[in-house]
Amino acid sequence: MKSRTEARICALQSLYELDLTNHLLGEVVADRVSRMGLDDAQYEFARLLTTGVRQFADRLDALIAEHAPEWPLEQVAVIDRNILRLALWEVAVYQKTPLKVGINEAVELAKAFGTESSPRFVNGVLGSLADNIEEITETLNQEKVALCHRE
């Protein structure tokens, strides 16, 4: 398995746990990294993904809800919601992952961790988001700049 794919799995599992518990982000990621036997580069990427998604979760959720209006976000499975958040953050905020790679990785995560219908759902929502990715990227990056100025 590719190094970045393993880091994405770690991030996804961490995000899932964080959504369901009051555990601390740093402890969750460190525990997952240890259990998976990831190296330092994988740890850093998993931590980056998890931290970034958590920081932008509300805005990512709003964008997902906007592009999947037939699926109220509170009815979307926790794992699917986190796969969508992860892919959208990685493509639109991190911007070092090409759109097609982000979608493909998300679909693979959905196949591995979601239900039978998850891959189709994830692909459909990300496809809808992809149609507006330039606008979404611009909006999220304006928010990223605003966050940096507040800190």
Side-chain angles (χ1 to χ4, degrees):
M1 187 177 303
K2 291 183 180 179
S3 175
R4 289 234 162 174
T5 299
E6 289 176 333
R8 285 183 188 97
I9 290 169
C10 178
L12 176 61
Q13 291 174 342
S14 297
L15 290 165
Y16 182 85
E17 181 177 340
L18 290 165
D19 265 7
L20 298 177
T21 68
N22 290 325
H23 299 164
L24 298 174
L25 186 146
E27 291 175 7
V28 169
V29 175
D31 180 57
R32 293 276 167 210
V33 165
S34 175
R35 288 182 191 197
M36 294 176 70
L38 302 184
D39 64 29
D40 289 346
Q42 291 170 308
Y43 165 73
E44 286 302 321
F45 190 55
R47 188 185 57 74
L48 175 74
L49 292 170
T50 307
T51 303
V53 168
R54 292 294 285 190
Q55 186 176 32
F56 280 83
D58 291 341
R59 188 63 184 122
L60 297 170
D61 287 351
L63 289 163
I64 292 165
E66 181 182 325
H67 289 85
E70 64 281 357
W71 288 94
L73 208 53
E74 61 277 357
Q75 292 180 11
V76 173
V78 174
I79 199 74
D80 293 348
R81 183 172 55 239
N82 279 298
I83 291 169
L84 292 168
R85 287 172 176 165
L86 187 60
L88 184 55
W89 184 88
E90 192 173 352
V91 169
V93 179
Y94 180 63
Q95 293 184 349
K96 294 180 183 174
T97 302
L99 178 62
K100 287 185 179 186
V101 171
I103 292 172
N104 288 340
E105 288 285 326
V107 170
E108 291 304 314
L109 288 172
K111 287 177 184 176
F113 297 100
T115 65
E116 186 177 309
S117 61
S118 293
R120 189 173 64 250
F121 172 71
V122 165
N123 191 53
V125 174
L126 291 176
S128 177
L129 288 161
D131 291 340
N132 301 297
I133 198 65
E134 292 86 13
E135 178 184 325
I136 290 168
T137 299
E138 170 113 9
T139 299
L140 289 173
N141 278 298
Q142 288 172 358
E143 291 178 28
K144 184 166 92 175
V145 168
L147 281 172
C148 289
H149 288 307
R150 279 188 244 150
E151 293 177 353

